């Protein structure tokens, strides 16, 4: 389908007045205008309004950095893949990596294995993120989910909520200090890391909301608990697994145990 969403990475083609830009990558910065049939794109420092026939949606594996789609943010920062359809980073359930990150981030994400489908009732499993304190907190969250599965009680749900809140606050603090220290990132700047940060933080809110919704129910069914466990495993594999190598290396370089 033609690219219509902000963040879509495209290649310019068939331009007459700006033939010098044909073949270059660009990033859609506004949704297509239905009346004019045009899409506003950014290429380098320039912004153009082009017809859909003059842009070709790029394969995620072909995305480079000339349009700002990687190192400078671009489509990743907008929270979407090259086709503008997914959040960054893409969760395993949605089909894997977005493919619009820096080369280093692509390599890192590719090294994170996609977990096998969760077996209902099985213990929650989270791979190491190579930071002892975070690994310990993941184990505490997994234990809290296990307790909730056994008891299915409001008390167990509140205990899980407390584990999540404590862990997420600690994790976000570490990432902001050691990976996202740039004021541009923390204040909502334009970069791939800024997009990853916003998406990661938003998924924390989603997980917390999931427990809150459970607490509002009259009864806690096993299926509800299983959904929380699957969400936590998927979050850890996608978001936490993506930062593991970078954060561990940053902490080691700073001499932080």
């Amino acid at each position: 389908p033609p690219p219509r969403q902000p963040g879509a990475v495209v290649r310019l083609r068939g331009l007459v007045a700006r033939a010098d830009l044909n073949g270059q990558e660009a990033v859609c910065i506004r949704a297509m205008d239905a009346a004019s049939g045009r899409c506003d794109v950014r290429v380098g420092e320039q912004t153009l309004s082009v017809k859909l026939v003059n842009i070709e949606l790029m394969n995620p594996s072909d995305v480079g950095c000339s349009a700002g789609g990687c190192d400078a943010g671009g489509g990743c920062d907008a929270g979407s893949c090259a086709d503008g359809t997914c959040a960054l980073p893409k969760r395993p359930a949605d089909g894997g990596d977005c493919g619009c990150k820096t080369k280093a981030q692509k390599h890192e994400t590719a090294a994170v294995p996609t977990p096998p489908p969760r077996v209902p009732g099985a213990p929650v499993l989270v791979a190491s993120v190579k930071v002892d304190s975070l690994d310990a907190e993941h184990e505490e969250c997994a234990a809290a989910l296990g307790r909730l599965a056994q008891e299915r009680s409001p008390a167990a749900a509140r205990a899980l909520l407390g584990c999540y809140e404590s862990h997420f606050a600690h994790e976000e603090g570490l990432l902001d200090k050691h990976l996202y220290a740039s004021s541009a990132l923390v204040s909502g700047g334009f970069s791939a890391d800024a997009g990853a940060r916003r998406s990661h933080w938003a998924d924390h809110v989603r997980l917390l909301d999931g427990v809150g919704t459970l607490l509002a129910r009259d009864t806690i069914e096993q299926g509800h608990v299983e959904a929380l466990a699957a969400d936590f495993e998927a979050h850890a594999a996608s978001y936490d697994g993506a930062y593991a190598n970078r954060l561990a290396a940053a902490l080691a370089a700073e001499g932080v145990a």
Side-chain angles (χ1 to χ4, degrees), residues 6-137:
V9 181
V10 299
R11 181 178 288 112
L12 300 175
R13 65 182 182 183
L15 296 174
V16 177
R18 293 303 309 272
D20 57 305
L21 298 179
N22 288 331
Q24 292 197 33
E25 295 172 19
V27 177
C28 291
I29 58 175
R30 293 185 183 86
M32 186 196 75
D33 180 77
S36 66
R38 290 177 174 269
C39 175
D40 287 354
V41 302
R42 189 186 69 247
V43 53
E45 299 299 321
Q46 306 175 64
T47 298
L48 305 174
S49 179
V50 298
K51 295 179 180 179
L52 289 183
V53 295
N54 295 124
I55 52 180
E56 174 187 6
L57 182 63
M58 294 186 64
N59 185 308
S61 64
D62 295 333
V63 174
C65 298
S66 63
C70 295
D71 295 333
C76 291
D77 182 71
S80 59
C81 291
D83 62 359
T85 59
C86 70
L88 176 69
K90 208 172 184 183
R91 292 179 297 182
D94 295 325
D97 177 42
C98 276
C100 54
K101 305 178 184 179
T102 64
K103 292 180 180 179
Q105 288 172 314
K106 282 185 179 181
H107 175 74
E108 176 182 297
T109 304
V112 179
T114 299
R118 177 172 168 75
V119 177
V124 173
L125 299 176
V126 177
S128 172
V129 294
K130 306 178 183 179
V131 178
D132 289 346
S133 60
L134 296 181
D135 283 344
E137 290 170 9

Side-chain angles (χ1 to χ4, degrees), residues 155-192:
R158 285 192 292 270
L160 174 62
L161 185 62
C163 280
Y164 276 6
E165 290 174 337
S166 176
H167 167 56
F168 294 161
H170 179 218
E171 180 184 60
E172 290 174 9
L174 281 179
L175 290 170
D176 273 347
K177 181 177 181 179
H178 300 287
L179 289 190
Y180 305 145
S182 165
S183 59
L185 287 177
V186 176
S187 63
F190 191 78
S191 74

